[in-house]
Amino acid sequence: MPDNPNGASGAIVVVDRLVKSFPIMYGIMPAIKHFGRIPRREVLHGISLSVRRGELFGLLGANGAGKTTLLKMLATLSIPDSGTIHIDGINAVRNPMAAKRRIGLCTSEERSFYFRLSARQNLEFFGTLMGVRGNKLNRRIHEVVEMVDLGSAIDRPFSGFSSGMRQRLTVARALISDPPVLFFDEPTRAVDPVHAEELRRLMRDYLVGELGKTLVLATNLLDEAWGLCDTIAVLKQGMVVACGPPNSLDTNFTRMLRYQIVIDQLDEALIARAKAIPGLSSFASSESAEGFVLDIEIAPSERSLTELLSAVSSNGATVRALRSEAVRPIDIFSDLVRVTDNDE
């Protein structure tokens, strides 16, 4: 029976105050030197988050942010120092075997396969370990290899697979037991653009959209996270610095308004007036076939645009075009990371 009421409805993955550290040194001599208490480096600092049933949840962060460490603990491959993990109502720390039956893991670790065996033999082996046997296993192998476009290579040795093919086979393995919760660790990292887009459609449209599975995706690709995920948790140095739908992550963003203005003439006086506008943070000019192009970033206020247009046209310059640039995911992500760095 589930031991967490959140598993019955609502959240299917619940992480509460998760902490993980690793020894800084290994071996007998460090243990003797430190009287058995080898110094440790904390890599996850009290992580708390919840994933709703049937959503695609993104873990977004740069390399070293803690995404893979967190994903391994969610998949019961690593034990936290403290904190709890519940998967579909099961305490994954106290009862990892029960939790394993509810999850599928797709990692970027190709060494977990047997190189001398074919793709089919590898899937038969891992499927048997997952408790899938007989006709059901054969049927699932056929289904999952077709999902990832490996049907024509199913009887080829794994050693002859390209990096992209190996990555797609890890996706197939994760799907063998048809689990309700899937953990994907950078599944498109070594895949060509065509198959990467197919994997994204598989995750978003089929696994989550049609089958209603819950999928947690660890990625360092901003566009991938913004384009696929219902909710994104931004990790920085082992901490969650923001969490929410992509279109809401800019709520606390230090927003600057960006404009591109094309005018017919440009002189030093106009440049001086523009640079004197309160709240101006950047100003650049260039010349194009349209005219003189001004790229301007300015703090928002009720009179920002009025003062800007007045400054560039007061000496008779004609505004030929005015374009407003939207906030980009990279701007939001960089701002979140910068705020965290300042807080440390």
Side-chain angles (χ1 to χ4, degrees), residues 57-173:
F57 189 98
L59 299 175
L60 175 64
N63 293 334
K67 305 185 302 298
T68 297
T69 299
L70 176 57
L71 214 61
K72 286 183 176 180
M73 285 194 290
L74 293 177
T76 73
L77 298 180
S78 181
I79 301 173
D81 296 355
S82 62
T84 60
I85 302 170
H86 284 86
I87 308 290
D88 201 11
I90 299 297
N91 189 315
V93 179
R94 292 204 307 251
N95 197 354
M97 293 310 297
K100 284 181 187 292
R101 290 192 286 270
R102 290 164 166 78
I103 62 179
L105 174 64
C106 171
T107 71
S108 55
E109 181 51 74
E110 61 186 38
R111 289 176 296 178
S112 59
F113 286 98
Y114 291 93
F115 277 57
R116 295 183 181 181
L117 300 183
S118 66
R120 184 195 302 274
Q121 291 169 328
N122 268 287
L123 293 177
E124 287 174 344
F125 173 76
F126 288 109
T128 301
L129 291 181
M130 297 172 191
V132 186
R133 295 178 175 86
N135 291 333
K136 182 179 179 181
L137 176 57
N138 292 331
R139 184 177 69 254
R140 285 299 297 166
I141 289 174
H142 175 75
E143 291 171 352
V144 297
V145 296
E146 290 302 321
M147 287 181 194
V148 298
D149 193 25
L150 285 177
S152 61
I154 189 172
D155 291 311
R156 288 170 51 185
F158 180 80
S159 60
F161 276 24
S162 66
S163 296
M165 294 171 68
R166 292 177 181 182
Q167 184 61 50
R168 283 183 278 146
L169 190 62
T170 64
V171 176
R173 180 176 60 185

Side-chain angles (χ1 to χ4, degrees), residues 324-340:
S324 176
E325 298 182 10
V327 176
R328 302 167 299 170
I330 183 61
D331 300 322
I332 300 170
F333 181 73
S334 298
D335 186 72
L336 291 168
V337 170
R338 183 167 56 252
V339 168
T340 306

Side-chain angles (χ1 to χ4, degrees), residues 227-244:
L228 292 180
C229 298
D230 301 305
T231 303
I232 296 174
V234 180
L235 271 66
K236 171 64 177 179
Q237 295 182 349
M239 296 180 289
V240 175
V241 296
C243 186

Side-chain angles (χ1 to χ4, degrees), residues 15-52:
V15 177
D16 185 35
R17 292 170 292 183
L18 207 63
V19 175
K20 181 64 177 177
S21 64
F22 294 100
I24 296 176
M25 297 172 286
Y26 294 89
I28 296 177
M29 292 307 297
I32 294 174
K33 178 180 178 181
H34 295 278
F35 303 99
R37 299 174 61 88
I38 297 177
R40 301 176 70 89
R41 179 174 62 90
E42 195 171 285
V43 295
L44 293 182
H45 314 287
I47 297 284
S48 294
L49 53 85
S50 63
V51 182
R52 299 190 312 274

Side-chain angles (χ1 to χ4, degrees), residues 161-284:
F161 276 24
S162 66
S163 296
M165 294 171 68
R166 292 177 181 182
Q167 184 61 50
R168 283 183 278 146
L169 190 62
T170 64
V171 176
R173 180 176 60 185
L175 299 173
I176 281 286
S177 62
D178 199 19
V181 181
L182 296 165
F183 299 127
F184 279 33
D185 187 12
E186 300 186 17
T188 61
R189 183 173 66 177
V191 182
D192 65 81
V194 173
H195 283 104
E197 186 58 31
E198 290 177 356
L199 283 177
R200 294 182 184 113
R201 287 200 300 268
L202 174 69
M203 290 187 285
R204 175 74 266 175
D205 299 337
Y206 185 67
L207 297 177
V208 176
E210 292 188 29
L211 300 185
K213 295 186 181 298
T214 303
L215 197 151
V216 178
L217 170 68
T219 180
N220 56 12
L221 301 177
L222 286 166
D223 291 340
E224 183 171 79
W226 249 256
L228 292 180
C229 298
D230 301 305
T231 303
I232 296 174
V234 180
L235 271 66
K236 171 64 177 179
Q237 295 182 349
M239 296 180 289
V240 175
V241 296
C243 186
N247 59 8
S248 73
L249 288 180
D250 64 345
T251 301
N252 298 318
F253 177 63
T254 308
R255 186 187 298 273
M256 300 296 289
L257 301 179
R258 293 185 178 87
Y259 295 104
Q260 187 177 83
I261 303 175
V262 181
I263 55 180
D264 64 340
Q265 55 182 285
L266 180 67
D267 55 31
E268 293 299 327
L270 187 152
I271 294 175
R273 288 195 306 274
K275 289 185 176 180
I277 298 172
L280 186 80
S281 63
S282 70
F283 178 94

